[in-house]
Amino acid sequence: MSLDHAHVQTRLVHAGTPELKQGAGPVNVPVVRTSTVRFADTAAQARMNAQRAAGERVATYGRHGLDTHQALEQAVASLEGAYRTLLAPSGLAAITMVLLATLAPGDHALVADSVYSPVRKVDKSLLRRYGIELEYFSPGQDALEPLIRPNTRLLYVESPSSLLFEVLDLPALAATARRHGLLVATDNTWSGGLYYQPLALGAHISIQAATKYLAGHSDVMMGVVSVDSAELARRIGATHDALGLSVGADDAYLTLRGLRTLDVRLARHQANALTVAQYLASHEDVARVFHPALPQDPGHALWRRDFSGASGLVSFAFDNPDPTAAARFIDSLRYFSIGASWGGYESLALEAAPERLSEHSLWKQLPDKQSVVRLHIGLEHTQDLIGDLDRAFATTRGALRRSA
């Protein structure tokens, strides 16, 4: 069954569906767990080893992943419009795999300063020891071309970012990078791969923490890397193999099950988050709201041009400069759990760490450095969530006044 021209909602339902055998079969791909792959004879083993060496998606050992893994890879590749998708044990593992696969000692990479903060940990703890240099820049302020050196090999970005949601002009950045022979990789977790197509906009590599919207239920750790060519599939696949990366069949199954409902879940996250963002934008205790679907957001025009929807993330800065405001506010919430992740069905609240905010050029441009709270808006009713936020604002305001 060809899904090449089907709408994304149809592809999400049908990509990776198991073939019927003897006229029948399950709706969902079975969970195939194994460490050892058996072969009919030595000739079959040799043939499959040769196929794998040639770059074909063939499993000769359990670590390579069998039916369940392959079904998830096919479904994500269909979602991203990719040649192939590879799986990793977490989003950070996926990022690290791409950096190690595309960079070598002596290489230089340009990295948007708003990327997922743990990228800097990978840089400091691993890449620098191997003589790889990452240079952070602001795509909104710094021209890319003058920063490119003879040894620059990679442009790595994230759009929108995961704290202040800066939207980048990926087509323009990718066009410049490609003119100079650079690979372009982007973190696409914010959109779940549904509302943004970076490979179609010029990127070579799209990375997601499938832990978040793809799995969607806060019970899986998973990363996915989607590439636009057989050469990149071979190159990153070799690094994947060398690092011994593997994910469990049960986690692959849960992620695939979550992906089937991505469209309907993300539509609800989007609608709820926009309602909450509009509420926050009109609140007297809020200095600024960060959400690209709001017309007043600086990235709104690019978001309208390149995206077909928004996710459930909203951040806001308090009008009150008291540094304890965010913690007091979060501790007063009832329906929002405190947690560092996002993408599940539940609402979450997190104070943005000042050291992470200070890495963002957008934050440096703001006149006042108030506390920032990031909310992930879940699938609850928005009246309950807004009521919860109202109570927290009132409680925080009263506590701050009493302590003044």
Side-chain angles (χ1 to χ4, degrees), residues 113-114 161 163 166 356-364:
D113 63 5
S114 58
S161 62
L163 284 179
E166 298 100 314
R356 290 193 174 186
L357 287 172
S358 66
E359 298 166 349
H360 294 230
S361 57
L362 175 59
W363 180 245
K364 295 173 185 175

Side-chain angles (χ1 to χ4, degrees), residues 107-184:
D107 285 348
H108 170 257
L110 288 165
V111 180
D113 63 5
S114 58
V115 296
Y116 180 52
S117 187
V119 170
R120 286 174 164 81
K121 294 183 180 179
V122 176
D123 177 11
K124 294 174 184 177
S125 65
L126 182 64
L127 300 182
R128 293 183 188 181
R129 291 198 289 117
Y130 293 109
I132 296 169
E133 181 184 358
L134 301 192
E135 179 182 352
Y136 303 92
F137 76 109
S138 169
Q141 298 180 61
D142 306 324
L144 175 62
E145 198 145 20
L147 300 174
I148 297 174
R149 307 176 190 173
N151 63 332
T152 307
R153 299 289 179 263
L154 176 72
L155 171 66
Y156 182 82
V157 299
E158 180 177 352
S159 181
S161 62
S162 58
L163 284 179
L164 302 180
F165 318 125
E166 298 100 314
V167 182
L168 308 184
D169 191 344
L170 180 60
L173 291 167
T176 300
R178 283 174 175 264
R179 282 200 305 271
H180 291 268
L182 275 60
L183 288 173
V184 180

Side-chain angles (χ1 to χ4, degrees), residues 4-303:
D4 293 344
H5 303 293
H7 291 85
V8 65
Q9 294 85 354
T10 303
R11 286 186 276 117
L12 284 171
V13 171
H14 292 283
T17 298
E19 295 182 1
L20 300 180
K21 296 179 179 179
Q22 298 179 335
V27 172
N28 294 311
V29 64
V31 180
V32 180
R33 309 179 189 89
T34 193
S35 59
T36 299
V37 174
R38 297 186 301 150
F39 301 93
D41 49 43
T42 55
Q45 183 183 31
R47 182 177 66 256
M48 292 183 68
N49 282 332
Q51 289 175 288
R52 181 166 176 80
E56 293 186 36
R57 179 59 176 93
V58 173
T60 57
Y61 187 62
R63 178 165 49 81
H64 305 150
L66 295 176
D67 303 41
T68 318
H69 303 78
Q70 292 178 22
L72 176 59
E73 291 169 355
Q74 291 168 16
V76 175
S78 178
L79 174 66
E80 292 269 14
Y83 174 82
R84 183 179 165 191
T85 293
L86 297 97
L87 309 181
S90 68
L92 186 58
I95 294 168
T96 304
M97 176 175 68
V98 168
L99 294 174
L100 291 176
T102 57
L103 299 169
D107 285 348
H108 170 257
L110 288 165
V111 180
D113 63 5
S114 58
V115 296
Y116 180 52
S117 187
V119 170
R120 286 174 164 81
K121 294 183 180 179
V122 176
D123 177 11
K124 294 174 184 177
S125 65
L126 182 64
L127 300 182
R128 293 183 188 181
R129 291 198 289 117
Y130 293 109
I132 296 169
E133 181 184 358
L134 301 192
E135 179 182 352
Y136 303 92
F137 76 109
S138 169
Q141 298 180 61
D142 306 324
L144 175 62
E145 198 145 20
L147 300 174
I148 297 174
R149 307 176 190 173
N151 63 332
T152 307
R153 299 289 179 263
L154 176 72
L155 171 66
Y156 182 82
V157 299
E158 180 177 352
S159 181
S161 62
S162 58
L163 284 179
L164 302 180
F165 318 125
E166 298 100 314
V167 182
L168 308 184
D169 191 344
L170 180 60
L173 291 167
T176 300
R178 283 174 175 264
R179 282 200 305 271
H180 291 268
L182 275 60
L183 288 173
V184 180
T186 183
D187 188 319
N188 193 24
T189 306
W190 183 91
S191 83
L194 181 63
Y195 294 147
Y196 191 49
Q197 298 292 302
L199 300 184
L201 295 175
H204 300 90
I205 303 165
S206 179
I207 304 166
Q208 285 195 62
T211 303
K212 297 179 169 64
Y213 282 124
L214 293 188
H217 292 78
S218 303
D219 55 4
V220 172
M221 296 296 297
M222 180 80 65
V224 293
V225 176
S226 300
V227 300
D228 69 347
S229 68
E231 169 55 25
L232 271 177
R234 181 204 62 76
R235 184 172 173 182
I236 297 177
T239 302
H240 183 278
D241 200 38
L243 291 172
L245 297 181
S246 180
V247 303
D250 295 274
D251 285 345
Y253 174 85
L254 288 172
T255 305
L256 183 61
R257 186 174 68 173
L259 187 143
R260 301 302 189 200
T261 61
L262 176 65
D263 178 56
V264 292
R265 286 187 291 107
L266 206 49
R268 179 66 174 268
H269 284 297
Q270 172 182 218
N272 283 3
L274 184 56
T275 299
V276 171
Q278 291 166 338
Y279 154 81
L280 291 169
S282 65
H283 200 284
E284 61 179 342
D285 292 334
V286 174
R288 177 165 179 172
V289 179
F290 303 91
H291 186 64
L294 291 177
Q296 64 267 37
D297 190 276
H300 182 70
L302 285 174
W303 174 80

